[in-house]
Every structure is written in C-alpha cells, then in structure tokens.
DNA sequence: AGCGACATGTAAGCGGTTACATGATTCT
DNA sequence: AGAATCATGTAACCGCTTACATGTCGCT
C-alpha cells in the first residue's frame, strides 16, 4: 500500500491535514505519483486506525475545523521498513505500444501519424516539465531546508526529464525507420 | 477500454477462444500489456453484447466446448477508430521514485542500497528480455506470416530493450553521483 | 497416483477515479 | 455577482488481481 507510505513520508517533515497533503502531492510528487482528495482522506482514516498517525482536531473561527495528522513511532517504523525493502519492478502497461503492435491494418500514413502524435505529446510535456518543475524543488527546499532532501528530490526531477528526453529521441528515431514498411 | 481493443487486435488475425487469447497475451504482448483469464472472459461477454464479436460454440468429444469468437464489422470499425485516435500520455506511477523522494531519513548506505537493488533488478530483467523475447516475435511471425506485422512487433520489442538499457544506465550513473550526499 | 494442458467460468476485494455534497471567506 | 480558497467528507463505479470452482485427457 504505497499511497500510505507516501503520506507517512510527508508527515516526517511536519503534521498535516488531508487538505494540506493534497496540495503537497500536487505540488511535489505529482509527476510520478498522484493522489485524489478522497483517496487521501480515506487513507488517513485507515492509518489512524492502524496507529501509524494520530489526529488532532484544531478549531478555527469561522472556518471548518482542521484535522491535523502527525506521524507516530509505529508510523516511522513502518516507513523505515518500507524504504529499506526493495520493490519489484512494476509490470509495464503501455497502451501506446498496444496500438503499435496492432497497427498493421492501418495505412502507412496513419501508422506514421501514430508515432508522430506520440512524439508531439512527449515534446509538449517535456517543455512543460523543463519550465515548471525545477522551481518546485527550490520552493520545497525553501520550506523544509534540508539539503539532503533537496538532493534526493533533484534525482526524481532529473529522472523525469531524462526519461522524457530518452523516449522522445527513441520515437523520433523510429519515425525514420518507418519509411519503408512492407505491405505483405 | 483498452483490453477490449487488444482482444479485437488479436481477432483480426483469426477467431479465438478465451483460452487461446490468454495464451496469446502471455506469449506476445505480456511485456507491455498483461491480462488475466477472468478479465478476458468477462471482456468477451461484454464485447459480444456490444456486437464487436460473435461467438460460435464448437463441441468437442470428451472436452469442454470451445467458444470461439470472431470479430464483426462493427468490431473492425471500432478497432480502426481506436488505432487512429492518439492517446494522451498516461500519468506516470513510479513507486521507486517515491522511495527516492522520501529516502532522507535513511543512512547513506541504505540509500545507496536502494539504488543498487533497483539497478540489479533492471539488469536481471534486461538479461531475461534479451534472451527470451526475440524468439517470440519470430514464432508469431511464423504463425501469422505478415511481414508488416513482424516489423511493428519488432518495434515494441526494441522499445522494451532500449527502455531497460536507458533506465539501467541512468541508475548506474546516479549511483556515482550518490557518493557525496549532504547530511544537513 | 499426480501433474500439466485443455477449457470454462464466478466471487471477493483493492486501489484509484469521478461525481456528489456542504458551506464560509476573500478576492476580482 | 462570481470565482477561488479553505476544509471536510460520501458514493458509485471501473479495471484489475486473486482465489475459488469444476472436469477430462494424456503423460510420467
């Protein structure tokens, strides 16, 4: 159960409400792990039952109460154990490759378009990524101030960019090889 | 609904039973799209209702009946339309990056081990891939005999290998950069 | 006698998404 | 007047996984 470990991860920095957590997800790990608000609230309740977090209700004037969760020792242990347990490689699920695999009934033009469209989307995302995400790491660093964390976050960013660059290059290369498809 | 389109894809070559389809999934597209037996049977029933496939019951002596499905014109249209509709890039879900992102409470050794274990798994999978999968394409080609398909299948294979090679290289490179992590 | 291949399906559960629901405050 | 922010949650659904269920044939 991975989402719960990500939540534990955030709570090592500071106690947070469900609402806060949603923002943290969206602003930091969204590019490799997303979570919806309803998922987060349900997880927090389960985690409180399990004893990994504890809730403190904070009343506010003329606003809904905040339910702030902080990590317990049990939670810290669980996180530590998860972080030191190597994960199996996840099963790949790549729909675009399914399209390529079954593209034989299409005309050459349409197969070309399939690759071209994919390359375009990758290029677009890469641009967004390059422009928007470095700033995120810096902002998080400013809040938390841990240089050790900053380095690790930088890794996840670099991975994201390098991955997109690699895939874009692969698809563009494939486009060249696509000129002479046999017709049977 | 992607599984159903993959099933339609297989049925363009020949009519198949659920049992056959499970084998085809396991022997060809498993490295980028897997399906369980129960999923396949349920999908076939839904697709028959929708009118994308039609079932023919074939009685066998002293064996369970085979229910062989063949694709209809509506199914062919649906497949064609899906194949010519560009997909959005899927949201990335990379648990290993979550571990990296939250690894700051770990010792340097343990962080190193996190990367090392990942590299080892990648190396292992790459070896399996290189040894086992080329043969699959050739065997499928022998059965179907379409040179056009063979080329497209080769693309999906090449993608898989190149992807693993890239990721392995990235992680190994990161391992080098990991020597001097600050401690705050 | 036991296992794997052949062949069909059902049932329960899990993680995740989407939509629904409420209600005050502040900014434009 | 309307949108965004703050803040909580529920309910329905969807794709997928795992486990259960049944039964024959052929090989070792």
């Amino acid at each position: 159960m991975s989402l719960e470990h990500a939540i534990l991860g955030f709570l090592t920095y500071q106690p947070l409400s469900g609402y806060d957590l949603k923002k943290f997800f969206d602003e930091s790990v969204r590019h490799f792990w997303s979570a919806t608000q309803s998922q987060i609230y349900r997880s927090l309740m389960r985690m409180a039952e399990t004893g990994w977090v504890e809730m403190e209700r904070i009343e506010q004037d003329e606003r809904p109460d905040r339910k702030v969760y902080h990590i317990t020792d049990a939670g810290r242990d669980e996180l530590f154990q998860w972080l030191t347990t190597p994960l199996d490689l996840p099963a790949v699920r790549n729909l675009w490759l399914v399209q390529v695999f079954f593209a034989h009934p299409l005309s050459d033009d349409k197969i070309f378009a399939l690759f071209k469209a994919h390359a375009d989307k990758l290029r677009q995302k890469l641009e967004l990524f390059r422009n928007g995400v470095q700033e995120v790491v810096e902002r998080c660093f400013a809040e938390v101030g841990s240089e050790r964390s900053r380095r690790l976050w930088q890794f996840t960013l670099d991975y994201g960019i390098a991955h997109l660059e690699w895939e874009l290059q692969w698809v563009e290369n494939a486009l060249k090889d696509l000129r002479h498809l046999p017709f049977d």
Side-chain angles (χ1 to χ4, degrees), chain A:
Chain A
M1 219 157 304
S2 40
L3 175 61
E4 309 198 350
H5 293 105
I7 290 175
L8 288 175
F10 282 119
L11 296 183
T12 60
Y13 293 108
Q14 63 209 276
L16 295 166
S17 68
Y19 189 84
D20 296 333
L21 277 162
K22 172 61 176 159
K23 276 193 300 178
F24 272 90
F25 271 96
D26 288 349
E27 284 168 17
S28 60
V29 301
R30 185 200 41 204
H31 63 283
F32 55 89
W33 201 268
S34 63
T36 60
Q37 161 251 52
S38 55
Q39 230 183 323
I40 290 170
Y41 283 113
R42 265 187 295 122
S43 294
L44 283 171
M45 285 188 270
R46 247 183 287 135
M47 292 163 77
E49 272 177 46
T50 316
W52 293 351
V53 299
E54 269 167 14
M55 191 260 281
E56 195 189 352
R57 168 171 258 118
I58 296 178
E59 288 175 44
Q60 299 181 115
D61 295 344
E62 303 162 14
R63 290 255 171 136
D65 294 358
R66 282 167 56 83
K67 291 184 178 178
V68 173
Y69 294 83
H70 62 91
I71 192 168
T72 63
D73 285 344
R76 235 176 280 272
D77 288 351
E78 173 62 31
L79 178 62
F80 183 84
Q81 216 202 304
W82 181 73
L83 287 170
T84 51
T85 305
L87 299 164
D88 285 337
L89 296 181
V92 178
R93 289 207 156 250
N94 190 326
L95 253 196
W96 180 72
L97 288 182
V98 177
Q99 287 190 326
V100 173
F101 192 88
F102 292 115
H104 65 110
L106 301 184
S107 67
D108 284 10
D109 279 2
K110 291 212 157 61
I111 294 179
F112 192 85
L114 187 68
F115 281 69
K116 188 67 171 45
H118 194 57
D120 290 344
K121 301 226 172 186
L122 288 167
R123 212 173 289 113
Q124 214 178 310
K125 185 171 178 187
L126 185 56
E127 206 175 317
L128 280 175
F129 223 86
R130 281 214 188 95
N131 295 338
V133 195
Q134 183 59 49
E135 172 220 352
V136 168
V137 167
E138 304 307 335
R139 185 155 37 79
C140 288
F141 175 58
E143 268 179 50
V144 171
S146 156
E147 181 66 31
R148 187 177 182 76
S149 289
R150 209 193 66 91
R151 284 284 198 97
L152 292 164
W153 300 342
Q154 191 66 49
F155 271 117
T156 66
L157 239 195
D158 293 346
Y159 180 97
I161 290 175
H163 188 267
L164 283 169
E165 283 172 344
W166 168 80
E167 191 171 2
L168 179 57
Q169 222 183 336
W170 190 89
V171 177
E172 278 175 345
N173 217 56
L175 268 168
K176 283 182 216 153
D177 294 353
L178 213 58
R179 308 258 172 217
H180 324 286
L181 267 188
F183 251 110
D184 294 331

